[in-house]
Amino acid sequence: MREVRERCVWSQQITHRDLVPYLIEESHEVIDAVESGTRADLREELGDLLWQVLFHAAIAAQDPDDPFDIDDVAQTLTEKMVRRHPHVFAGEVATTPDEVLVHWNAAKAAEKRTRRSVLDGIPRGMPALALAQKVVGRAAGVHVDTPPAGAAGVPTSEHELGDALLALVAVARAEGWDAERALRERLRTLEQDIRQAESDA
């Protein structure tokens, strides 16, 4: 990565902001590989995603005011993971996944003391369904209700459609389902049906 940054004229001009579309694309390609690809696809796509991390770190290392490199990124990550796993590194006990989450959330809350809202820290650039699922979870934590599924009947406006979608996301969260993944997987089936119809025509 250092050699590419130093010797590739295209790479020399790239900024963090320029890389965002590539980071999004590579993240989605990893998701595709996990959900419907081969082991070779996953290995390749994880490498492409890692390249994005290395690229960002190489850009950051050249910042004149606040430089950091990939070693600093790894050190920060290591410190965070040690703090968030006291049941592994600090003698705490967690015998169930729920107990692990208690430790994780307590450590995270201690790290984020400056946050004033349960919504702070949720990335606004998430896909809408994934964002809704995150926000519905936070809403439940402060006892804010979301529309019940089926309450509005068939939507007759975009506003009502939004309510209906939010209600379905709340159902997904309550059942432990991933609304984004569910829709993606259903779309894959639809795509297969479309391709089949095209080949039959």
Short mmCIF file of all heavy atoms in Angstrom, two decimals, residues 77-90 99-112 115:
data_model
loop_
_atom_site.label_atom_id
_atom_site.label_comp_id
_atom_site.label_asym_id
_atom_site.label_seq_id
_atom_site.Cartn_x
_atom_site.Cartn_y
_atom_site.Cartn_z
N LEU A 77 -7.81 -0.48 17.94
CA LEU A 77 -8.76 -1.59 17.90
C LEU A 77 -8.47 -2.60 19.01
O LEU A 77 -9.39 -3.07 19.70
CB LEU A 77 -8.71 -2.28 16.54
CG LEU A 77 -9.57 -3.53 16.38
CD1 LEU A 77 -11.05 -3.21 16.57
CD2 LEU A 77 -9.33 -4.18 15.03
N THR A 78 -7.20 -2.94 19.20
CA THR A 78 -6.82 -3.90 20.24
C THR A 78 -7.26 -3.40 21.61
O THR A 78 -7.86 -4.15 22.40
CB THR A 78 -5.30 -4.14 20.22
OG1 THR A 78 -4.94 -4.67 18.94
CG2 THR A 78 -4.88 -5.10 21.32
N GLU A 79 -6.98 -2.13 21.91
CA GLU A 79 -7.36 -1.58 23.21
C GLU A 79 -8.87 -1.63 23.41
O GLU A 79 -9.36 -1.96 24.49
CB GLU A 79 -6.84 -0.15 23.33
CG GLU A 79 -5.33 -0.06 23.42
CD GLU A 79 -4.79 1.35 23.23
OE1 GLU A 79 -5.60 2.29 23.03
OE2 GLU A 79 -3.55 1.51 23.27
N LYS A 80 -9.62 -1.29 22.36
CA LYS A 80 -11.08 -1.31 22.46
C LYS A 80 -11.60 -2.72 22.70
O LYS A 80 -12.46 -2.95 23.55
CB LYS A 80 -11.71 -0.75 21.17
CG LYS A 80 -13.24 -0.76 21.21
CD LYS A 80 -13.86 -0.49 19.86
CE LYS A 80 -13.72 0.94 19.43
NZ LYS A 80 -14.49 1.22 18.19
N MET A 81 -11.08 -3.70 21.95
CA MET A 81 -11.57 -5.07 22.10
C MET A 81 -11.22 -5.66 23.47
O MET A 81 -11.99 -6.42 24.04
CB MET A 81 -11.04 -5.96 20.97
CG MET A 81 -11.63 -5.63 19.60
SD MET A 81 -13.44 -5.74 19.56
CE MET A 81 -13.89 -4.01 19.45
N VAL A 82 -10.07 -5.29 24.01
CA VAL A 82 -9.71 -5.74 25.36
C VAL A 82 -10.69 -5.15 26.38
O VAL A 82 -11.19 -5.86 27.26
CB VAL A 82 -8.25 -5.36 25.70
CG1 VAL A 82 -7.96 -5.54 27.18
CG2 VAL A 82 -7.28 -6.21 24.86
N ARG A 83 -11.00 -3.84 26.26
CA ARG A 83 -11.96 -3.21 27.16
C ARG A 83 -13.34 -3.84 27.07
O ARG A 83 -14.02 -4.02 28.07
CB ARG A 83 -12.11 -1.72 26.84
CG ARG A 83 -11.05 -0.81 27.36
CD ARG A 83 -11.46 0.66 27.26
NE ARG A 83 -11.97 1.06 25.96
CZ ARG A 83 -11.21 1.48 24.94
NH1 ARG A 83 -9.90 1.53 25.07
NH2 ARG A 83 -11.76 1.85 23.79
N ARG A 84 -13.74 -4.19 25.85
CA ARG A 84 -15.11 -4.70 25.64
C ARG A 84 -15.25 -6.20 25.89
O ARG A 84 -16.34 -6.74 25.80
CB ARG A 84 -15.58 -4.34 24.23
CG ARG A 84 -15.76 -2.84 24.08
CD ARG A 84 -16.50 -2.48 22.84
NE ARG A 84 -16.60 -1.04 22.67
CZ ARG A 84 -17.22 -0.46 21.64
NH1 ARG A 84 -17.79 -1.21 20.72
NH2 ARG A 84 -17.27 0.85 21.54
N HIS A 85 -14.13 -6.87 26.21
CA HIS A 85 -14.18 -8.30 26.54
C HIS A 85 -13.55 -8.55 27.92
O HIS A 85 -12.60 -9.32 28.04
CB HIS A 85 -13.45 -9.11 25.47
CG HIS A 85 -14.12 -9.12 24.14
ND1 HIS A 85 -13.96 -8.11 23.24
CD2 HIS A 85 -14.97 -10.02 23.58
CE1 HIS A 85 -14.68 -8.38 22.16
NE2 HIS A 85 -15.31 -9.52 22.33
N PRO A 86 -14.09 -7.91 28.96
CA PRO A 86 -13.51 -8.13 30.29
C PRO A 86 -13.66 -9.58 30.76
O PRO A 86 -12.90 -10.04 31.61
CB PRO A 86 -14.30 -7.17 31.18
CG PRO A 86 -15.61 -6.97 30.48
CD PRO A 86 -15.27 -7.03 29.02
N HIS A 87 -14.61 -10.31 30.19
CA HIS A 87 -14.79 -11.72 30.52
C HIS A 87 -13.69 -12.58 29.89
O HIS A 87 -13.53 -13.75 30.26
CB HIS A 87 -16.17 -12.20 30.05
CG HIS A 87 -16.42 -11.94 28.61
ND1 HIS A 87 -16.60 -10.66 28.10
CD2 HIS A 87 -16.50 -12.78 27.54
CE1 HIS A 87 -16.79 -10.74 26.79
NE2 HIS A 87 -16.73 -12.00 26.42
N VAL A 88 -12.93 -12.01 28.96
CA VAL A 88 -11.80 -12.72 28.34
C VAL A 88 -10.48 -12.23 28.94
O VAL A 88 -9.59 -13.01 29.24
CB VAL A 88 -11.79 -12.51 26.81
CG1 VAL A 88 -10.54 -13.13 26.18
CG2 VAL A 88 -13.05 -13.08 26.18
N PHE A 89 -10.37 -10.89 29.15
CA PHE A 89 -9.08 -10.31 29.52
C PHE A 89 -8.99 -9.77 30.95
O PHE A 89 -7.91 -9.41 31.38
CB PHE A 89 -8.76 -9.15 28.56
CG PHE A 89 -8.64 -9.57 27.12
CD1 PHE A 89 -9.65 -9.31 26.22
CD2 PHE A 89 -7.51 -10.25 26.68
CE1 PHE A 89 -9.54 -9.70 24.89
CE2 PHE A 89 -7.40 -10.65 25.35
CZ PHE A 89 -8.41 -10.39 24.46
N ALA A 90 -10.11 -9.69 31.70
CA ALA A 90 -10.04 -9.00 32.99
C ALA A 90 -10.73 -9.75 34.13
O ALA A 90 -11.07 -9.15 35.14
CB ALA A 90 -10.63 -7.60 32.86
N GLU A 99 -24.96 -12.34 28.59
CA GLU A 99 -24.02 -11.80 29.58
C GLU A 99 -22.84 -11.11 28.90
O GLU A 99 -22.34 -10.10 29.39
CB GLU A 99 -23.52 -12.91 30.51
CG GLU A 99 -24.60 -13.43 31.45
CD GLU A 99 -24.16 -14.63 32.27
OE1 GLU A 99 -23.02 -15.14 32.06
OE2 GLU A 99 -24.95 -15.08 33.11
N VAL A 100 -22.41 -11.64 27.76
CA VAL A 100 -21.35 -10.98 26.98
C VAL A 100 -21.82 -9.59 26.56
O VAL A 100 -21.08 -8.61 26.67
CB VAL A 100 -20.97 -11.83 25.74
CG1 VAL A 100 -20.05 -11.03 24.81
CG2 VAL A 100 -20.30 -13.13 26.17
N LEU A 101 -23.07 -9.49 26.09
CA LEU A 101 -23.60 -8.19 25.66
C LEU A 101 -23.68 -7.20 26.81
O LEU A 101 -23.48 -6.00 26.60
CB LEU A 101 -24.98 -8.37 25.02
CG LEU A 101 -24.99 -8.94 23.61
CD1 LEU A 101 -26.42 -9.11 23.10
CD2 LEU A 101 -24.21 -8.04 22.65
N VAL A 102 -23.96 -7.66 28.00
CA VAL A 102 -23.98 -6.76 29.17
C VAL A 102 -22.61 -6.13 29.35
O VAL A 102 -22.48 -4.91 29.52
CB VAL A 102 -24.42 -7.52 30.44
CG1 VAL A 102 -24.16 -6.68 31.69
CG2 VAL A 102 -25.90 -7.90 30.35
N HIS A 103 -21.56 -6.95 29.30
CA HIS A 103 -20.19 -6.41 29.43
C HIS A 103 -19.86 -5.47 28.28
O HIS A 103 -19.29 -4.39 28.48
CB HIS A 103 -19.16 -7.56 29.47
CG HIS A 103 -19.22 -8.40 30.70
ND1 HIS A 103 -19.14 -7.87 31.96
CD2 HIS A 103 -19.36 -9.74 30.86
CE1 HIS A 103 -19.20 -8.84 32.86
NE2 HIS A 103 -19.35 -9.97 32.22
N TRP A 104 -20.21 -5.89 27.06
CA TRP A 104 -19.92 -5.09 25.87
C TRP A 104 -20.59 -3.72 25.97
O TRP A 104 -19.96 -2.68 25.75
CB TRP A 104 -20.40 -5.84 24.63
CG TRP A 104 -20.19 -5.12 23.34
CD1 TRP A 104 -20.99 -4.15 22.80
CD2 TRP A 104 -19.11 -5.28 22.41
NE1 TRP A 104 -20.48 -3.72 21.58
CE2 TRP A 104 -19.32 -4.39 21.34
CE3 TRP A 104 -17.99 -6.10 22.40
CZ2 TRP A 104 -18.45 -4.31 20.26
CZ3 TRP A 104 -17.12 -6.02 21.33
CH2 TRP A 104 -17.36 -5.13 20.27
N ASN A 105 -21.88 -3.73 26.29
CA ASN A 105 -22.64 -2.47 26.35
C ASN A 105 -22.16 -1.57 27.48
O ASN A 105 -22.14 -0.34 27.34
CB ASN A 105 -24.13 -2.75 26.47
CG ASN A 105 -24.70 -3.32 25.17
OD1 ASN A 105 -24.20 -3.05 24.09
ND2 ASN A 105 -25.73 -4.13 25.28
N ALA A 106 -21.77 -2.15 28.61
CA ALA A 106 -21.25 -1.34 29.71
C ALA A 106 -19.94 -0.68 29.32
O ALA A 106 -19.72 0.52 29.59
CB ALA A 106 -21.05 -2.22 30.96
N ALA A 107 -19.05 -1.43 28.67
CA ALA A 107 -17.78 -0.85 28.22
C ALA A 107 -18.02 0.23 27.18
O ALA A 107 -17.39 1.30 27.22
CB ALA A 107 -16.87 -1.95 27.67
N LYS A 108 -18.94 -0.04 26.26
CA LYS A 108 -19.22 0.94 25.21
C LYS A 108 -19.80 2.22 25.80
O LYS A 108 -19.44 3.32 25.40
CB LYS A 108 -20.20 0.33 24.19
CG LYS A 108 -20.41 1.19 22.96
CD LYS A 108 -21.22 0.44 21.92
CE LYS A 108 -21.42 1.30 20.69
NZ LYS A 108 -22.20 0.59 19.64
N ALA A 109 -20.71 2.08 26.77
CA ALA A 109 -21.31 3.25 27.42
C ALA A 109 -20.24 4.08 28.12
O ALA A 109 -20.27 5.32 28.09
CB ALA A 109 -22.39 2.82 28.40
N ALA A 110 -19.28 3.41 28.76
CA ALA A 110 -18.20 4.14 29.44
C ALA A 110 -17.33 4.90 28.44
O ALA A 110 -16.86 6.00 28.72
CB ALA A 110 -17.35 3.16 30.24
N GLU A 111 -17.14 4.32 27.24
CA GLU A 111 -16.33 4.98 26.22
C GLU A 111 -17.04 6.18 25.61
O GLU A 111 -16.40 7.12 25.14
CB GLU A 111 -16.04 3.99 25.07
CG GLU A 111 -15.15 2.83 25.46
CD GLU A 111 -15.19 1.71 24.42
OE1 GLU A 111 -15.73 1.94 23.32
OE2 GLU A 111 -14.69 0.61 24.70
N LYS A 112 -18.35 6.14 25.59
CA LYS A 112 -19.13 7.15 24.86
C LYS A 112 -19.87 8.08 25.82
O LYS A 112 -21.00 8.48 25.57
CB LYS A 112 -20.14 6.46 23.93
CG LYS A 112 -19.55 5.38 23.04
CD LYS A 112 -18.57 5.92 22.03
CE LYS A 112 -18.08 4.81 21.11
NZ LYS A 112 -17.08 5.27 20.17
N ARG A 115 -21.98 11.22 24.70
CA ARG A 115 -23.22 11.12 23.93
C ARG A 115 -24.40 11.54 24.78
O ARG A 115 -24.51 11.18 25.95
CB ARG A 115 -23.40 9.70 23.39
CG ARG A 115 -22.34 9.37 22.34
CD ARG A 115 -22.57 8.04 21.69
NE ARG A 115 -21.60 7.85 20.61
CZ ARG A 115 -21.43 6.72 19.98
NH1 ARG A 115 -22.17 5.66 20.28
NH2 ARG A 115 -20.53 6.62 19.02
#
